[in-house]
Each structure stands twice: as structure tokens, then as C-alpha cells.
Amino acid sequence: MPDDPAYPLVAASARTVDELDGMLVECRACPRLVAWREAVAAAPRASFRGEEYWARPVPGLGDPHAQVLVVGLAPAAHGGNRTGRMFTGDRSGDFLIASLHRAGYASQPTSVRADDGLVLTGLRLTAPVHCAPPDNAPTPEERRTCAPWLTRELRLVQPRVVVALGGFAWQAMLATLGEQGWHVPRPRPRFAHGAEAPLTGPDGQALTLLGSFHVSQQNTFTGRLTPQMLDDVFRRARELSAP
């Protein structure tokens, strides 16, 4: 049942990314997150009043066979939780998609709503937690509960590069890969903007984990993360993912 804490384990049976996404959007395994995402939808911001919020888990977005996977934190309460699409409908999404467009991964520089025609090629967006959390802060237990979705997505997509947006995504990726039997160095590689961590899977698959500051307004408005800094990360991701 979708409200069973073990429900995310059904992810292992998904044969395609589309099938995985269909399972994911039914999930109600984390009571705190379910309550929050629905409470936000019931009391929208004045600027979004009258809109019907998605208020469900937000699936990944983009190429199902991408060479580059971008991992964020979790959907924004009035962004992805409203529009039903990852990094859509808020300023963080605007900042990220503009960079992806400059890098040649996105068909357009904006991500406003789910039907705006955005297409991502060679790249996919996802998150270690698929529901909007209070204060943008999922708990470690919520990350572990949600982990089967990311685990299966990684197996199905098989990217060569994972860009982790922020320290939470970086640690979540290392934890998830370790759970899949990947060799994760000890001590674990430390997060930093521009950090690179080459990793090897149990079958010899190679993957590079790249770090970037998150595209949150706290970082972009203060200049901690500039457009050039993010562009440099995606330029490096393209270099590393080239055949």
C-alpha cells in the first residue's frame, strides 16, 4: 500500500523510468511529508491562489538514458510541489534551467509550468527526497525511506556523471551508492563546489560525482553561487561524460 513505510521498495520492480515514475507519484510512506505537501496545497501563496497544486511526490525529469544526472535536495513547496515538475515554477529552477540551456542540455532557458515544452537532452533531474519538506529540511530517516527510488533510478539511467547540488545531495549520493555496493572511499570524499569524486560500481561501472552549491536563493542572491560558477560545473560534466 502507498502509505506503508516499506512501499518505496516496489521501486526495485520497475523496468523503465516511466514505470518507476508512475509508482513513485503514489507514495505516501512519510507521514510528515505527506501532511506538509498537502497543507501547503490547501493554503497557497496569494500569487498562486486559485491554482490546483500537485501535492504529490515529484518524479525525476529529463532523458531516461542521460549521461548526466543532477541530484537536488527535494521539491520546493510552491515550485515542484505546485507544478508537479522538478525545478519548475520557482527562482531556483529558473537559475538552474538557464544554466542547462547555456550548456546545451535544455531546449529553453525557463521552466515555468509542466506543459511549457521544456525538453532535457542528455541530462536528467532528480532528488534524494521526492516530497516537499518543511523548512526545506528532510530528515535522515526520510532520506533513507525515499532511497529505493533513487537507487532504482540510478540503475535504470546509468549516468556517467552525477552533479550533486549541495551537501545534502552529495552525502545522499554517497550513501545510496554505498548501499548499492559501490566502492565509496573512507573517509568519504568531502563536499565542496567543484569537488570531484571518481567512484566504481560492483560491476566495474565508473561514475564521477561532481559537487556544486545548491541553486537556492540563499546562494544565488548572495553571490555564493554565480551563473558562471554553475556553468563551469556543467561544462566539466559534459567533458567527463563524453564517450
Side-chain angles (χ1 to χ4, degrees):
M1 297 292 291
D3 58 355
D4 186 332
Y7 175 75
L9 296 175
V10 303
S13 66
R15 294 164 295 179
T16 67
V17 169
D18 284 346
E19 188 174 346
L20 180 73
D21 291 345
M23 294 173 177
L24 182 147
V25 299
E26 301 299 326
C27 188
R28 299 178 62 86
C30 297
R32 187 182 81 113
L33 298 186
V34 171
W36 175 252
R37 77 193 193 200
E38 294 178 356
V40 169
R45 287 179 176 171
S47 55
F48 302 131
R49 194 167 295 146
E51 291 191 30
E52 183 176 353
Y53 275 54
W54 171 254
R56 299 167 74 184
V58 181
L61 167 68
D63 193 332
H65 304 292
Q67 295 300 301
V68 178
L69 184 69
V70 178
V71 180
L73 171 63
H78 300 282
N81 187 56
R82 174 174 60 88
T83 64
R85 198 173 73 179
M86 197 72 66
F87 286 106
T88 299
D90 59 28
R91 291 186 177 182
S92 295
D94 291 342
F95 194 93
L96 175 62
I97 299 303
S99 181
L100 295 182
H101 180 67
R102 292 190 294 270
Y105 289 114
S107 61
Q108 60 192 45
T110 58
S111 180
V112 179
R113 59 184 187 276
D115 61 353
D116 63 7
L118 173 67
V119 176
L120 301 179
T121 303
L123 182 140
R124 184 170 174 83
L125 304 175
T126 192
V129 175
H130 284 272
C131 292
D135 301 318
N136 292 318
T139 67
E141 181 60 28
E142 288 162 351
R143 198 286 302 170
R144 285 190 290 270
T145 300
C146 208
W149 303 114
L150 181 57
T151 295
R152 190 59 180 163
E153 192 167 15
L154 283 164
R155 288 184 180 273
L156 291 171
V157 177
Q158 297 189 353
R160 293 182 180 178
V161 176
V162 173
V163 176
L165 298 178
F168 185 95
W170 179 273
Q171 295 301 332
M173 277 304 307
L174 292 176
T176 299
L177 291 172
E179 292 161 2
Q180 291 186 62
W182 284 64
H183 173 68
V184 177
R186 293 287 183 179
R188 286 184 176 179
R190 297 183 64 180
F191 171 76
H193 184 83
E196 297 186 18
L199 303 171
T200 305
D203 57 357
Q205 178 186 356
L207 180 152
T208 301
L209 181 62
L210 286 183
S212 171
F213 292 140
H214 195 277
V215 290
S216 66
Q217 292 182 46
Q218 182 179 359
N219 288 334
T220 60
F221 281 12
T222 61
R224 187 177 190 225
L225 178 66
T226 66
Q228 185 61 57
M229 290 169 66
L230 190 57
D231 290 354
D232 288 345
V233 168
F234 288 120
R235 186 176 301 110
R236 181 59 176 156
R238 189 174 287 283
E239 291 174 355
L240 291 168
S241 63

Coordinates of all heavy atoms in Angstrom, one line a residue, residues 187-221:
P187 N 38.1 8.0 4.5 CA 36.9 8.7 4.7 C 36.2 9.1 3.5 O 36.8 9.2 2.4 CB 37.4 9.9 5.5 CG 38.8 10.1 5.1 CD 39.3 8.7 4.9
R188 N 34.9 9.4 3.6 CA 34.1 9.8 2.4 C 34.6 11.1 1.8 O 35.0 12.0 2.6 CB 32.6 9.9 2.7 CG 31.9 8.6 3.0 CD 30.5 8.9 3.2 NE 29.7 7.6 3.3 CZ 28.4 7.5 3.6 NH1 27.7 8.6 3.7 NH2 27.8 6.4 3.7
P189 N 34.6 11.2 0.5 CA 35.0 12.5 -0.1 C 34.2 13.6 0.4 O 33.0 13.5 0.6 CB 34.8 12.3 -1.6 CG 34.8 10.8 -1.8 CD 34.2 10.2 -0.5
R190 N 34.8 14.8 0.7 CA 34.1 15.9 1.2 C 33.5 16.8 0.2 O 34.1 17.0 -0.9 CB 35.1 16.7 2.1 CG 35.7 16.0 3.2 CD 36.6 16.9 4.1 NE 35.9 18.0 4.7 CZ 36.4 18.9 5.4 NH1 37.7 18.9 5.7 NH2 35.7 19.9 5.9
F191 N 32.3 17.3 0.5 CA 31.6 18.2 -0.4 C 32.3 19.5 -0.5 O 32.7 20.1 0.5 CB 30.2 18.4 0.0 CG 29.5 19.4 -0.8 CD1 29.1 19.2 -2.1 CD2 29.3 20.7 -0.3 CE1 28.4 20.2 -2.8 CE2 28.6 21.7 -1.0 CZ 28.2 21.4 -2.3
A192 N 32.4 20.1 -1.7 CA 32.8 21.4 -2.0 C 32.3 21.8 -3.4 O 32.1 20.9 -4.2 CB 34.3 21.6 -1.9
H193 N 32.2 23.0 -3.7 CA 31.8 23.4 -5.0 C 33.0 23.1 -5.9 O 34.1 23.5 -5.7 CB 31.5 24.9 -5.1 CG 31.0 25.3 -6.5 ND1 29.7 25.2 -6.9 CD2 31.7 25.8 -7.5 CE1 29.6 25.6 -8.1 NE2 30.8 26.0 -8.6
G194 N 32.7 22.3 -7.0 CA 33.7 21.9 -7.9 C 34.4 20.6 -7.5 O 35.3 20.2 -8.3
A195 N 34.1 20.0 -6.4 CA 34.7 18.8 -5.9 C 34.4 17.7 -6.9 O 33.3 17.6 -7.5 CB 34.3 18.4 -4.5
E196 N 35.3 16.8 -7.1 CA 35.1 15.6 -8.0 C 35.5 14.3 -7.2 O 36.6 14.3 -6.5 CB 36.0 15.7 -9.2 CG 35.7 16.9 -10.1 CD 36.4 16.9 -11.4 OE1 37.0 15.8 -11.8 OE2 36.5 17.9 -12.1
A197 N 34.7 13.3 -7.3 CA 35.0 12.1 -6.6 C 34.7 10.9 -7.6 O 33.5 10.6 -7.9 CB 34.1 11.9 -5.4
P198 N 35.8 10.3 -8.2 CA 35.6 9.2 -9.1 C 35.2 7.9 -8.2 O 35.8 7.7 -7.2 CB 37.0 9.0 -9.7 CG 37.7 10.2 -9.4 CD 37.1 10.8 -8.1
L199 N 34.1 7.3 -8.7 CA 33.6 6.1 -7.9 C 33.5 4.9 -8.9 O 33.3 5.1 -10.1 CB 32.3 6.4 -7.3 CG 32.2 7.6 -6.4 CD1 30.8 8.0 -6.0 CD2 33.0 7.4 -5.1
T200 N 33.6 3.7 -8.3 CA 33.5 2.5 -9.1 C 32.4 1.6 -8.6 O 32.4 1.3 -7.4 CB 34.8 1.7 -9.1 OG1 35.9 2.6 -9.6 CG2 34.8 0.5 -10.0
G201 N 31.6 1.1 -9.5 CA 30.5 0.2 -9.1 C 30.9 -1.3 -9.0 O 32.0 -1.6 -9.4
P202 N 30.1 -2.1 -8.4 CA 30.4 -3.5 -8.2 C 30.7 -4.3 -9.5 O 31.4 -5.3 -9.5 CB 29.2 -4.1 -7.5 CG 28.1 -3.1 -7.8 CD 28.7 -1.8 -7.9
D203 N 30.1 -3.8 -10.6 CA 30.3 -4.4 -11.9 C 31.4 -3.7 -12.7 O 31.6 -3.9 -13.9 CB 29.0 -4.4 -12.7 CG 28.4 -3.0 -12.9 OD1 29.0 -2.1 -12.4 OD2 27.4 -2.9 -13.6
G204 N 32.1 -2.8 -12.1 CA 33.2 -2.0 -12.8 C 32.8 -0.7 -13.4 O 33.6 0.0 -14.0
Q205 N 31.5 -0.4 -13.3 CA 31.0 0.8 -13.9 C 31.6 2.0 -13.2 O 31.8 2.1 -12.0 CB 29.5 0.9 -13.7 CG 28.8 2.2 -14.2 CD 27.4 2.3 -13.9 OE1 26.8 1.4 -13.3 NE2 26.7 3.5 -14.2
A206 N 32.1 3.0 -14.0 CA 32.7 4.2 -13.5 C 31.7 5.4 -13.5 O 30.9 5.5 -14.4 CB 33.9 4.5 -14.3
L207 N 31.8 6.2 -12.5 CA 31.0 7.3 -12.3 C 31.7 8.4 -11.6 O 32.5 8.1 -10.7 CB 29.7 7.0 -11.5 CG 28.6 8.0 -11.3 CD1 27.3 7.4 -11.1 CD2 28.9 8.8 -10.0
T208 N 31.6 9.7 -12.0 CA 32.2 10.8 -11.3 C 31.1 11.6 -10.6 O 30.1 12.0 -11.2 CB 33.0 11.7 -12.3 OG1 34.0 10.9 -12.9 CG2 33.6 12.8 -11.5
L209 N 31.3 11.8 -9.3 CA 30.4 12.7 -8.6 C 31.0 14.1 -8.5 O 32.1 14.3 -8.1 CB 30.2 12.1 -7.1 CG 29.3 12.9 -6.2 CD1 27.9 12.9 -6.7 CD2 29.4 12.2 -4.8
L210 N 30.2 15.0 -9.0 CA 30.6 16.4 -9.1 C 29.8 17.2 -8.0 O 28.6 17.1 -7.9 CB 30.4 17.1 -10.4 CG 31.3 16.7 -11.6 CD1 30.9 17.5 -12.8 CD2 32.7 17.0 -11.2
G211 N 30.4 18.1 -7.3 CA 29.7 19.0 -6.4 C 29.5 20.4 -6.9 O 30.3 20.9 -7.6
S212 N 28.3 20.9 -6.5 CA 28.0 22.3 -6.8 C 27.2 22.8 -5.6 O 26.4 22.1 -5.1 CB 27.2 22.4 -8.1 OG 26.7 23.8 -8.2
F213 N 27.4 24.1 -5.3 CA 26.5 24.7 -4.4 C 25.1 24.6 -4.9 O 24.9 24.7 -6.1 CB 26.9 26.2 -4.1 CG 28.2 26.4 -3.4 CD1 29.0 27.4 -3.8 CD2 28.5 25.6 -2.4 CE1 30.2 27.7 -3.2 CE2 29.7 25.8 -1.7 CZ 30.6 26.8 -2.1
H214 N 24.1 24.5 -4.0 CA 22.7 24.4 -4.4 C 22.3 25.7 -5.0 O 22.8 26.8 -4.7 CB 21.8 24.0 -3.2 CG 20.5 23.5 -3.6 ND1 19.4 24.4 -3.9 CD2 20.0 22.3 -3.7 CE1 18.4 23.7 -4.2 NE2 18.7 22.4 -4.1
V215 N 21.3 25.6 -5.9 CA 20.7 26.8 -6.6 C 19.7 27.5 -5.8 O 18.8 28.1 -6.4 CB 20.2 26.4 -8.0 CG1 21.3 26.0 -8.9 CG2 19.2 25.3 -7.9
S216 N 19.7 27.3 -4.5 CA 18.8 28.0 -3.6 C 19.0 29.5 -3.7 O 20.1 30.0 -4.0 CB 19.0 27.6 -2.2 OG 20.2 28.0 -1.7
Q217 N 17.9 30.3 -3.4 CA 18.0 31.7 -3.4 C 19.0 32.2 -2.4 O 19.7 33.3 -2.6 CB 16.7 32.4 -3.2 CG 15.6 32.1 -4.3 CD 14.3 32.8 -4.0 OE1 14.3 34.0 -3.6 NE2 13.2 32.1 -4.2
Q218 N 19.2 31.5 -1.3 CA 20.2 31.9 -0.3 C 21.6 31.9 -0.9 O 22.4 32.8 -0.5 CB 20.1 30.9 0.8 CG 21.1 31.2 2.0 CD 21.0 30.2 3.1 OE1 20.2 29.2 3.0 NE2 21.8 30.4 4.1
N219 N 21.9 31.1 -1.9 CA 23.2 31.0 -2.5 C 23.2 32.0 -3.7 O 24.2 32.6 -3.9 CB 23.5 29.6 -3.0 CG 23.8 28.7 -1.8 OD1 24.3 29.2 -0.7 ND2 23.7 27.4 -2.0
T220 N 22.2 32.0 -4.5 CA 22.2 32.8 -5.8 C 22.1 34.3 -5.5 O 22.7 35.1 -6.2 CB 21.2 32.3 -6.8 OG1 19.9 32.4 -6.2 CG2 21.4 30.8 -7.1
F221 N 21.2 34.6 -4.6 CA 21.0 36.1 -4.3 C 22.3 36.7 -3.6 O 22.5 37.9 -3.7 CB 19.8 36.3 -3.4 CG 18.5 36.2 -4.1 CD1 18.4 35.7 -5.5 CD2 17.3 36.6 -3.6 CE1 17.2 35.6 -6.1 CE2 16.1 36.5 -4.2 CZ 16.1 36.0 -5.5

